[in-house]
Amino acid sequence: MKATRTTFGYILSVAGIFLVWKLAALGVSSPVLPPPEDALKAFLIHAATPVFWKYFGISAYRVIASIALAWCLAFPAGIVIGYSRSLDRFLSPLIFMTYPVPKIVLLPVILLLFGLGDCSKIILIGIILFFQILVATCDGVKSISSKYYDSLLSMGATDKDIIREVVFPAALPYSFTALRITTGTAISVLFFTESFATTSGLGYLIMNSWATAAYTDIFVGIIGMSILGILLYEVFSCLEKVVCPWHVIETDTVDEESQSGSAIPVLSRIVTYAQMIKFSHTVFALPFALASLVLVRRVATLDISTIFWIAMAMVGARSAAMGFNRYVDAVFDANNPRTAARELPSNVLSRHEVIIFIVISSLVFILSAAMLSQPCFWLSFPILAVLFFYSYTKRFTWLSHIILGFGISLVPMAVWFAVTGTLSPGISVLSLFLLTYIAGFDVLYACQDIDFDRREGLHSIPAAFGVRSALRVSAFLHLVSVLSLAALYRIFVLHPLFLVFAVVIAVLFFVEHRLVKTDDLTQVNVAFYNINSIISVLLFVGILMGELMWGVL
Amino acid sequence: MRVNNGAVIQVRSLYKKFNAGTLAVLDNVSFSLEDGESMAVIGPSGCGKTTLLYILAGLISYARGTVMIKGDPLKGPLRNTAFILQDFGLLPWKTVRQNVCLGMKLRGVSKEKERIICDSLLETMGLSQYRDCYPARLSGGEKQRIAIARALALKPDILLMDEPFSSLDTFTTETLQDTLLEIKAVHHLTMIIVTHSIEEAVFLGDKIMVMSQRPAHVKAIVPNSQAGYSSYRSDEMFFAACRKVRKVVEQP
């Protein structure tokens, strides 16, 4: 649960940075700030060279050696100083006097004493980290509740016992927190030490690119250093979980009690939004956009900026539609035990915040469409209308499943139109697959809510015709899906390998319907998540193979 | 009737003051406990009940008076005394088993023996399935059971408990009180329990020491020899004893 939250947090953050960067690059329009895709391309080119990894390795070695050195000295020192009152009395004033002094000014002295090699760099970074870890550990030891000491003393423990059983384990999480926080500092100082008098490392790469006016390459170094920082941060988080398993349990328990108790409020907020719009479900729709891109390559050439704006349009449209759906359905969601925990009904997000979110998402969609072409811009409004309209259909017609499928099935056609400016009968077959596939499993999903929907007067196929008929309708829709796969094969003249994937998808549909029994709907979630995400991905891979294999076999 | 010298715990004219110039915490406290006897200590909050326990556990020193345990003056924590702190004092970074084994580990008991004793204690406490859990995952009642198991692992003669059930709900409290009475009988423990509940004091204590406001002196020691079995809770004598104690508590 936590891991997926972090992953989506990262994905969203990267997407956000990418967007802001892109806009800034468009605004500045100078070689000094290349657009993100150029920087990424340059990074990938560099990443294929051994020189880059040599630099990455050297930088990693310097920073990891510094951190290890600092921790090995600071943690035991922090424990002793924090625990022993007499030592604390002598050393605390000294630490707190030297703590605010910017140790980085010692650089010339350290260079003169230890030479220009790795040693001086490791020592400088090490000194700076030492104090941070020391102070955090000391504070951690001082915050240990006296009840733990008393408890051990009453059993006849000695000082050595107490340090081993209480102080050491209690201070460990504090030192890990310090390690995680200091990764940023460590990387900054690393850049500083690598910025002169050296010919290796990522910092050198940045400074050298600057000197030779290779502006895009500056960003190769920046991306490399960011990756190094993120990796270290994650490594420390994982180490903490392994070394202090009790600490994770405690923070988890606190998290459950107050959602706001997160260390990074902005990130957790982003994650909350991502959960609201079920960002994870993008996996169902995204492969269809990719598949459409693969197919459209036959009739048109693609460039990176088109792909970028198509992706942005998709994220914008999806977020707007899901946000709107949650907003409109908040009343029903709150009453339904299955959905009462959603972000809006449970008051994690306010109605006001959700409206702002919908407006921004819609703007991203419209703006992205405008960047694609003039007709796309005009079409973005009726599409948004269809997406919003779906949320109301549940209130008056059991055709709501079809409308949902229709809304999502616009993806392949929209991609095709964005690239070529026209539509083709072939791509509408892919849309038909998507329509029946989504509508079919939405019917399955609705079977779980049948009692609730009937009580609240909401319309759905299970509520109107019963579970047994609903399962038949769903099976029929998925039969159409399988047939449209065959049509897709004929129309686009795909490689026969595609048929293998089509057969696997057909089998998966069959398994899905076998799993869901009239009297046992507990399997719906399993069927829904696992099988459907596999089907989406299989279809994309199948089309990709069907396209590429002509060149190979 | 034994002579006074046979007392397991004998406290005479105990006086304790933390800082010069402040009010004394304990003033002229005297009592004695026979082998296998239990005493509940009750009084207003902040009156020094906990300080008394800390002194008996050997964790803090006392200025005047005598504290004799089994005939010897008390100088520090004793091997045969177990002390359960108010919020149990379980170490969050140790699993249930490691917590129970902690005291034995400090005393250099062999790993093999440690495991046997621990497993049988967890079995009797009904906590076997939590053996490898961390305390944060457990309820208050389960934590208290672990604390009791940890204390019993050291095979004590004397058990000191500071408001053992104050953070628990009524049902858990009553079950644990019954467990405690059984343990006391089986292990033949001499027990002192600090509490702020009159009912608990009457249910658990063979005698009840009522203390005054700070500086705490002994208002009265109410005998209550009928205590010590589960059904006492609904006995008419129980209510009579409660009324009697309440009267002493409310005396100015």
Side-chain angles (χ1 to χ4, degrees), chain B residues 42-112:
Chain B
I42 194 165
S45 47
C47 78
K49 307 183 293 265
T50 298
T51 308
L52 176 65
L53 275 197
Y54 270 71
I55 290 174
L56 292 173
L59 292 176
I60 52 182
S61 58
Y62 49 96
R64 288 202 300 268
T66 53
V67 177
M68 309 284 274
I69 306 286
K70 290 187 170 172
D72 296 315
L74 180 70
K75 293 196 189 77
L78 288 174
R79 291 182 78 92
N80 61 353
T81 306
F83 180 23
I84 299 178
L85 279 85
Q86 185 170 358
D87 30 18
F88 324 133
L90 297 176
L91 304 181
W93 42 86
K94 291 190 179 293
T95 61
V96 166
R97 188 206 287 265
Q98 288 168 337
N99 262 297
V100 173
C101 291
L102 185 60
M104 294 189 277
K105 188 178 172 191
L106 296 180
R107 285 178 194 181
V109 175
S110 77
K111 286 259 178 263
E112 184 58 20

Side-chain angles (χ1 to χ4, degrees), chain A residues 6-258:
Chain A
T6 328
T7 314
F8 288 124
Y10 270 126
I11 292 173
L12 275 170
S13 309
V14 170
I17 291 169
F18 212 76
L19 180 65
V20 172
W21 185 351
K22 178 76 189 176
L23 292 175
L26 285 174
V28 175
S29 166
S30 139
V32 175
L33 187 61
E37 63 269 19
D38 287 2
L40 203 63
K41 221 190 294 171
F43 176 77
L44 291 176
I45 291 166
H46 273 80
T49 63
V51 177
F52 174 82
W53 291 108
K54 197 184 120 203
Y55 286 169
F56 191 89
I58 288 170
S59 288
Y61 158 66
R62 286 169 182 159
V63 75
I64 291 170
S66 318
I67 292 173
L69 179 75
W71 191 87
C72 288
L73 293 175
F75 183 65
I79 283 187
V80 173
I81 296 171
Y83 181 62
S84 152
R85 275 166 200 228
S86 48
L87 264 180
D88 186 45
R89 212 172 303 140
F90 286 114
L91 292 179
S92 269
L94 190 69
I95 293 169
F96 284 97
M97 254 168 51
T98 47
Y99 183 62
V101 175
K103 263 76 65 182
I104 205 153
V105 297
L106 294 174
L107 180 71
V109 184
I110 290 170
L111 282 181
L112 289 172
L113 284 175
F114 298 98
L116 296 173
D118 287 345
C119 187
S120 57
K121 295 176 177 60
I122 291 170
I123 289 176
L124 182 67
I125 305 171
I127 289 176
I128 291 168
L129 299 187
F130 173 83
F131 278 91
Q132 310 229 2
I133 299 169
L134 180 72
V135 171
T137 310
C138 261
D139 287 351
V141 174
K142 283 180 197 159
S143 69
I144 298 173
S145 160
S146 66
K147 69 183 176 193
Y148 300 131
Y149 296 140
D150 294 338
S151 186
L152 256 81
L153 283 171
S154 75
M155 292 184 233
T158 60
D159 273 344
K160 216 176 91 194
D161 293 330
I162 288 179
I163 288 189
R164 190 185 60 231
E165 308 292 343
V166 177
V167 183
F168 180 83
L172 258 186
Y174 288 94
S175 79
F176 273 105
T177 308
L179 276 182
R180 276 189 285 131
I181 292 170
T182 52
T183 39
T185 317
I187 302 282
S188 308
V189 183
L190 173 75
F191 170 69
F192 184 70
T193 60
E194 285 182 343
S195 60
F196 59 93
T198 182
T199 53
S200 60
L202 293 170
Y204 165 73
L205 179 63
I206 294 174
M207 297 309 283
N208 194 46
S209 310
W210 184 23
T212 56
Y215 295 122
T216 313
D217 290 357
I218 292 180
F219 286 91
V220 174
I222 294 176
I223 294 173
M225 281 203 153
S226 312
I227 291 174
L228 182 58
I230 292 170
L231 278 180
L232 284 176
Y233 187 92
E234 287 302 323
V235 165
F236 292 139
S237 300
C238 290
L239 259 181
E240 183 177 358
K241 274 176 208 156
V242 174
V243 181
C244 320
W246 70 90
H247 190 62
V248 182
I249 297 171
E250 284 184 328
T251 39
D252 266 9
T253 326
V254 173
D255 266 5
E256 280 157 24
E257 281 160 9
S258 68

